[in-house]
Amino acid sequence: MTVKPSAEQSTRSAILSAALDLFLTKGVEHVSMRQIARSVQITPMAIYRHFANKEQLVLEMLAQGFTSFGSYLDRREAGNTPIERLEHLAEGFFEFALENNAYFELMFLSSQTPTGLRNRNNVLSASRPTYRKLQACVQDCIDAGEIADTHSKDISLDILAFCVGHVALYISGNVIHPSKQPKRVLMHAFSNHIRLLKPRQGI
């Protein structure tokens, strides 16, 4: 039996959706709670029944984004070896980014979020579990000899930067891939990148 969301839950979801669109088109710092309320067709006073202020709204939006992101990363469990699990994790990252462009941009590309938030620790708490999944996967690859024995934190940051950068180039249109299957192109690039991290032989 499917439980229908209440009117309050529907309004809250509509507020988050409208805010996400406005933040990406105008920038977080240029959007007011009044503008968001107008977009959802509720009164400015009504929006404060759901969110105390804009920062609380942004924090909940980011928390939802990272929760969803984490569920995509969980497909790493399907791999039989550490390197396969890392590849599945990358696949989950790319699928999240391609299927949730708006959240991806807000979480990884916005210059105002989360650095502009006063309560930045809440954002870090939301994002940290997803980073730990990557770092644990990388450490398993190091322990198995699939990746050169380097600090897992450094390699994890390198992999994260690689994935974010490639998706950003694709989404922006600055790099036009000839393939109509962007995930396949991104995974091919990722596999090439991982080869560079393998231990060097004969040294």
Side-chain angles (χ1 to χ4, degrees), residues 166 168-177:
H166 269 256
L169 287 170
Y170 178 80
I171 291 175
S172 69
N174 288 321
V175 173
I176 307 299
H177 293 301

Side-chain angles (χ1 to χ4, degrees), residues 35-56:
Q35 288 173 302
I36 298 169
R38 188 184 307 124
S39 179
V40 185
Q41 298 182 335
I42 60 176
T43 65
M45 187 65 69
I47 196 172
Y48 289 104
R49 288 202 292 269
H50 298 274
F51 301 98
N53 49 50
K54 188 170 76 172
E55 177 150 324
Q56 185 193 19

Side-chain angles (χ1 to χ4, degrees), residues 8 19 26 85 108 130 139 144 171:
E8 183 172 339
K26 298 185 177 184
R85 288 193 284 275
F108 294 103
T130 58
Q139 186 62 57
I171 291 175

Side-chain angles (χ1 to χ4, degrees), residues 83 86-87 145-150 155 158-159 162 166 188-201 203:
I83 202 70
L86 182 60
E87 288 171 347
E146 298 278 6
I147 287 179
D149 190 1
T150 314
I155 296 177
D158 172 77
I159 289 174
F162 177 90
H166 269 256
H188 179 70
F190 181 79
S191 295
N192 287 337
H193 183 66
I194 291 302
R195 288 193 192 97
L196 300 176
L197 299 177
K198 288 182 175 293
R200 296 185 182 182
Q201 301 298 321
I203 298 180

Side-chain angles (χ1 to χ4, degrees), residues 18-91:
L20 186 59
D21 289 339
L22 287 169
F23 289 161
L24 292 176
T25 55
K26 298 185 177 184
V28 176
E29 74 278 20
H30 298 302
V31 176
S32 67
M33 293 289 274
R34 182 179 293 273
Q35 288 173 302
I36 298 169
R38 188 184 307 124
S39 179
V40 185
Q41 298 182 335
I42 60 176
T43 65
M45 187 65 69
I47 196 172
Y48 289 104
R49 288 202 292 269
H50 298 274
F51 301 98
N53 49 50
K54 188 170 76 172
E55 177 150 324
Q56 185 193 19
L57 189 157
V58 174
L59 287 170
E60 180 161 333
M61 189 181 299
L62 287 168
Q64 285 190 5
F66 279 109
T67 298
S68 176
F69 179 47
S71 69
Y72 278 78
L73 299 185
D74 284 340
R75 64 191 58 189
R76 74 192 189 284
E77 301 297 341
N80 294 317
T81 66
I83 202 70
E84 283 182 6
R85 288 193 284 275
L86 182 60
E87 288 171 347
H88 280 299
L89 186 144
E91 184 179 30

